[in-house]
């Protein structure tokens, strides 16, 4: 609704005469050329799916609209990062978690997988892979090639945490396949 400010009828606009005009607001019925904006979306979250059919539909939606891409990227980068894992004592390796960290950032955007059991495994994978990579990097010396026993212990604990992340990631992907029939093709676990 538009408002029009106008002087009251019959009031003398000359202030010297003591009859100062007082603006008043009067509604007009002229149509506005600009339609009112649509109501903004409600800040409340969408209802949580509760039935098996609702959960399946929500999981499929999650998967189709980015979840599959996030999961495949995380699997591929997690497998690549394994190449930096030493297989024997005094083995020289290059540790590169750059791609993994980017994949984890994307995975965090898709963290809320609608199925509780699959979502728990997915969240654990994200948490453990990230924490394991941080532990490994924190344990590596910055200025020399040989690790102290304490650094070696930190790196090994990091790889153990990383392994837990891989197990959770495999469990999440297996549950998506087994329970919802969602399986990426080709299999991202295959070494490239």
């Amino acid at each position: 609704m538009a408002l029009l400010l106008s002087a009251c009828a019959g009031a003398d606009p000359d202030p010297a005469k003591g009859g100062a005009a007082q603006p008043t607001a009067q509604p007009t019925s002229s149509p506005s050329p600009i339609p009112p904006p649509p109501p903004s979306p409600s800040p409340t979250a969408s209802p949580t799916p509760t039935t098996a059919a609702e959960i399946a539909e929500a999981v499929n939606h999650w998967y189709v609209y980015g979840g599959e891409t996030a999961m495949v990227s995380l699997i591929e980068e997690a497998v690549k990062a394994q190449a930096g894992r030493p297989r024997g004592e005094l083995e020289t390796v290059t540790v590169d978690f750059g791609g993994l960290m980017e994949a984890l950032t994307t995975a965090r955007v898709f963290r809320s997988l609608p199925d509780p059991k699959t979502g728990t495994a997915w969240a654990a994978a994200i948490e453990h892979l990230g924490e394991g990579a941080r532990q490994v990097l924190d344990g590596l010396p910055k200025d020399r090639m040989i690790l102290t026993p304490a650094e070696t212990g930190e790196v090994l604990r990091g790889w153990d945490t990383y392994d837990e992340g891989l197990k959770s990631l495999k469990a999440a992907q297996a549950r998506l396949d087994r329970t919802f029939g969602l399986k990426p093709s080709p299999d991202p676990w295959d070494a490239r």
Side-chain angles (χ1 to χ4, degrees):
M1 173 186 302
L3 294 178
L4 174 66
L5 294 177
S6 64
C8 290
D12 190 349
D14 186 358
K17 295 182 183 178
Q22 297 292 324
T24 60
Q26 296 180 355
T28 66
S29 62
S30 62
S32 175
I34 301 172
S40 60
S42 171
T44 59
S46 59
T48 304
T50 55
T51 67
E54 289 172 338
I55 290 171
E57 182 180 347
V59 169
N60 189 59
H61 187 268
W62 175 89
Y63 194 78
V64 169
Y65 291 100
E68 176 186 19
T69 301
M71 183 170 280
V72 167
S73 175
L74 188 56
I75 292 169
E76 290 173 347
E77 292 302 328
V79 169
K80 283 181 197 174
Q82 286 278 38
R85 187 178 197 151
R87 301 292 177 216
E89 269 190 58
L90 300 176
E91 181 182 1
T92 303
V93 294
T94 302
V95 175
D96 180 9
F97 289 119
L100 177 70
M101 293 304 172
E102 288 178 26
L104 283 167
T105 299
T106 302
R108 286 182 184 104
V109 172
F110 292 93
R111 186 177 189 110
S112 58
L113 205 158
D115 175 56
K117 289 181 181 178
T118 312
T120 299
W122 174 240
I126 293 167
E127 179 64 31
H128 288 122
L129 288 170
E131 181 59 29
R134 279 188 293 279
Q135 283 180 298
V136 168
L137 291 174
D138 288 348
L140 296 175
K142 309 300 181 242
D143 56 353
R144 56 191 156 69
M145 298 288 290
I146 305 297
L147 281 71
T148 66
E151 291 166 338
T152 301
E154 179 71 15
V155 168
L156 291 175
R157 282 188 297 280
W159 283 117
D160 287 344
T161 303
Y162 192 86
D163 288 343
E164 290 302 312
L166 289 173
K167 286 178 192 173
S168 294
L169 189 55
K170 287 178 182 180
Q173 192 218 348
R175 184 160 166 78
L176 283 172
D177 180 20
R178 186 177 60 252
T179 306
F180 302 101
L182 302 171
K183 182 175 184 172
S185 180
D187 186 356
W189 292 102
D190 288 339
R192 307 229 184 273

